[in-house]
Every structure is written in C-alpha cells, then in structure tokens.
Amino acid sequence: WEIQKYLNKMSEQGCKVVFMEVSSHGLVQNRVSGIQFNGAIFTNISHDHIDYHKTLDNYVAAKKILFDKLNQSAFALYNLDDVFGETMILECKAKKLSYGILGNADIKARILESHISGTLISINQKECWLKLIGDFNVSNACAVYGAAIQLGMAPDIALQGMSALEPIDGRFQKIEGPNNIMGIVDYAHTPDALEKTLNNLQKFRKPSQRIITIIGCGGDRDKEKRPKMGNIAASLSNTVIFSSDNPRSENPEEIINEIEAGVAAQDYKKTLSITDRAQAIKTACKMASANDIILVAGKGHETYQEINGERFDFDDYEILKDFLTKLNK
C-alpha cells in the first residue's frame, strides 16, 4: 500500500517512468505485489542480509521473485559475471539479455584505461569516458546502457548521458589532502564490496603509497561477515584501524573483537583498534605520509551514528575533510 500511494502521487504529478530499487525484503514481504515491471536488472549478490534470510539460498530465491514475475513483454538484464546471474533468469518469461566484462555477454564492456579520475571503456565497440572508477562501476554502466537501449534510447545518446554522470556522495568519494594525501569515503559495508574497493585501490596506488583503512561493522546485523571484513581489510591494506560503525544496541568493543578474529597471523601487526570513530579517522590522518591513501569505509553517505537507540550527527566525509585540512596548519 505504501508503494502504491507514492506511485499514485507520482502519476498525479505527471511522472511517466519510475526506476525502483527492489529489495529482497520487499519481495518476500509482498511489498511490490501488483506492480507490473517493464524490466528488471540483476547486478550481483553478496554476503548481505543473511541475518534476515537465514541462508544464501533463501536470499537468492528472494531476489529471483522479481524475475519470475516478469511477463513476456518485459526485459530482464542480468550480470553474466556474477555466479548467480544465470540462476536469476531461469524460468523467466521476459526477453533475456546478459551484460558483463569477463564473459561473452550481449552487452560487453572492456576497460581501455583506468585512472583515479575516471575510466575509459568500450561497450559493444563504442567508447565512453566515465567519471567513475572501479570494475563494479563499469559493470553497472553496462546495465545502464542495456536498460536505456531497451527503453528506446539511441546508443550514442545513452553514452553521452553516461559520460556526464558524477560520482555520488559516499561512493568512492575523494578528498584531496596536503602532500598529495588522498582521502576516500566509501559505503563498502560487506566483504564483497570492501574487497572490490581495496582491490581497485591496489590497482591505482604506486609501490610507495600506503593504504590506511578505517572499518567497522554495524551492530544488530549479520555477525558472520565481521571476521571476513577484518581479514579482507588487513590483507589488502598497509594499516587498518578497527572502529565503531553503527553499534546500535551492541557493545562496540565486542563488535571490534569479532572483526579482529578474522585477521590472519601475518597481518596482525598492521592492525590497531580505536573505538571512537572520529579519533580513528584523526589517527589515520596523523599517520599518513605524502601520497598515502586513507579509506574510510562502511558508512558512506550516512550523516549519523546510531548508538543505543539514539542517532548522533556523524559524517565520515566532513570529519575526514576537517582532519585533512588541519594537517596543513
């Protein structure tokens, strides 16, 4: 009823097209029942929401509901590079189109050049400059291109629009500090997302550049991912500071202990723990040398921290920017 109410308001105000992120929760709770989608896009499945769905199989089945309900006049775009991509379109009645970087997809992208400022790609033999970086953004660009074409947009117009896209707050958001120190705020809050972000930084960094990462995990959420996050952060960074995310009703020190439990023995010396997130960011800035990269991961665009049922103002971007500015003084 909630979604129908908003769709009705949109229609009354002249809206013609709606793009909607359909969550696995919304699907199993029947929140999109009765909506006939013209198309659906499957990007990927990572270790997320297992606390709600209990098993990965349940999570996959929940996502698949969207594609199972498409009719023959709709289109289904699926990521061929994801292990569950082809599973999503089994028994799907819609027109099926694959996209990807690695496999032989219907919408195939190649990365021609990668820079910290953007990526030059080729999609189905047509070049396009993206102001976004990372393989995951190239993959998403394939999905955008495919959807635009299926909705009747000319390929060249779609590519022009994609070239104009700006990075959004909290997604690999860059802050330039003194001495060429680069600060990055990213929403990576799952093992898969964190690994992709750090792997992308490894591609761009020079041998002399260190990666200093601040990471935590949310309280009252999936506990299984915590040691995995610790392992990934420590193995792909030069230094890691484990800190609070949104501890909610949990003890932040206990969350940090569970993250640390995943750190491999050879990486233990790289890590330290500072529960206060602002102090963790401040410490990272003080530790940074010329040309180093500071990654503050997990909260991204969020402008609050949730502790014991209360929300406190907290913006990773503003705090990191403030401390980097103070290094100049």
Side-chain angles (χ1 to χ4, degrees):
W1 298 112
E2 192 85 4
I3 289 174
Q4 293 295 341
K5 178 180 77 173
Y6 286 118
L7 289 174
N8 184 54
K9 283 185 177 180
M10 293 177 195
S11 179
E12 286 176 346
Q13 293 182 30
C15 183
K16 301 294 184 187
V17 181
V18 176
F19 288 87
M20 184 191 303
E21 180 181 15
V22 182
S23 70
S24 57
H25 294 61
L27 286 161
V28 297
Q29 293 170 12
N30 300 309
R31 300 206 303 255
V32 292
S33 292
I35 297 176
Q36 189 61 60
F37 290 94
N38 296 86
I41 301 169
F42 171 72
T43 52
N44 69 311
I45 280 187
S46 62
H47 197 287
D48 204 9
H49 307 309
I50 304 301
D51 54 324
Y52 179 84
H53 296 290
K54 305 304 179 190
T55 68
L56 184 61
D57 286 345
N58 289 345
Y59 184 25
V60 172
K63 289 274 191 184
K64 194 174 181 300
I65 292 169
L66 179 63
F67 296 86
D68 290 346
K69 291 191 174 183
L70 294 175
N71 63 30
Q72 291 179 336
S73 64
F75 64 86
L77 276 166
Y78 64 99
N79 185 358
L80 189 64
D81 297 338
D82 189 87
V83 67
F84 295 106
E86 294 185 315
T87 301
M88 284 296 133
I89 48 94
L90 290 173
E91 302 165 4
C92 175
K93 301 182 186 72
K95 177 183 178 181
K96 295 177 272 290
L97 290 164
S98 62
Y99 69 89
I101 305 171
L102 306 175
N104 188 24
D106 297 311
I107 301 159
K108 168 79 173 178
R110 290 192 303 120
I111 298 173
L112 305 178
E113 294 179 21
S114 294
H115 307 276
I116 197 73
S117 58
T119 313
L120 180 64
I121 65 171
S122 166
I123 297 185
N124 287 3
Q125 284 77 55
K126 291 178 178 289
E127 287 192 10
C128 177
W129 170 259
L130 296 176
K131 297 178 188 177
L132 313 169
I133 68 172
D135 293 1
F136 64 96
N137 273 320
V138 176
S139 179
N140 288 342
C142 287
V144 170
Y145 182 77
I149 301 305
Q150 289 304 304
L151 293 170
M153 186 176 283
D156 289 347
I157 300 298
L159 293 171
Q160 284 176 27
M162 287 161 57
S163 290
L165 290 172
E166 297 283 350
I168 63 170
D169 290 351
R171 302 300 201 279
F172 220 93
Q173 191 174 7
K174 298 186 284 293
I175 307 166
E176 292 184 15
N179 302 317
N180 291 320
I181 295 170
M182 177 66 74
I184 294 170
V185 173
D186 194 77
Y187 189 49
H189 64 287
T190 66
D192 179 66
L194 182 63
E195 186 170 21
K196 285 178 178 174
T197 297
L198 285 167
N199 275 330
N200 278 312
L201 287 176
Q202 291 287 355
K203 288 179 187 176
F204 297 122
R205 79 176 186 97
K206 297 172 183 174
S208 60
Q209 286 180 298
R210 296 183 304 151
I211 298 172
I212 303 169
T213 300
I214 298 111
I215 186 71
C217 287
D220 303 331
R221 298 291 187 270
D222 182 8
K223 290 189 175 187
E224 285 185 23
K225 72 178 183 182
R226 293 174 186 175
K228 296 177 182 178
M229 298 280 282
N231 181 276
I232 291 164
S235 63
L236 293 174
S237 307
N238 298 92
T239 301
V240 182
I241 304 174
F242 297 125
S243 189
S244 286
D245 188 290
N246 290 316
R248 300 186 176 90
S249 69
E250 286 194 65
N251 183 325
E253 281 82 9
E254 289 181 9
I255 296 173
I256 290 170
N257 289 339
E258 291 175 9
I259 299 171
E260 280 187 321
V263 176
Q266 67 269 22
D267 295 324
Y268 187 73
K269 287 183 179 179
K270 298 180 182 179
T271 69
L272 65 153
S273 301
I274 301 173
T275 305
D276 185 299
R277 193 173 179 90
Q279 286 298 316
I281 296 171
K282 180 181 180 181
T283 302
C285 291
K286 285 186 170 184
M287 293 172 68
S289 301
N291 303 309
D292 284 350
I293 300 166
I294 301 169
L295 171 67
V296 184
K299 288 171 56 59
H301 60 286
E302 294 177 354
T303 56
Y304 62 86
Q305 198 169 24
E306 195 172 333
I307 304 169
N308 291 325
E310 286 190 64
R311 286 193 173 188
F312 301 89
D313 289 343
F314 198 99
D315 187 328
D316 280 351
Y317 180 85
E318 291 300 330
I319 290 169
L320 178 58
K321 183 180 178 182
D322 181 51
F323 284 130
L324 284 174
T325 301
K326 286 175 179 174
L327 288 180
N328 255 335
K329 296 177 180 178

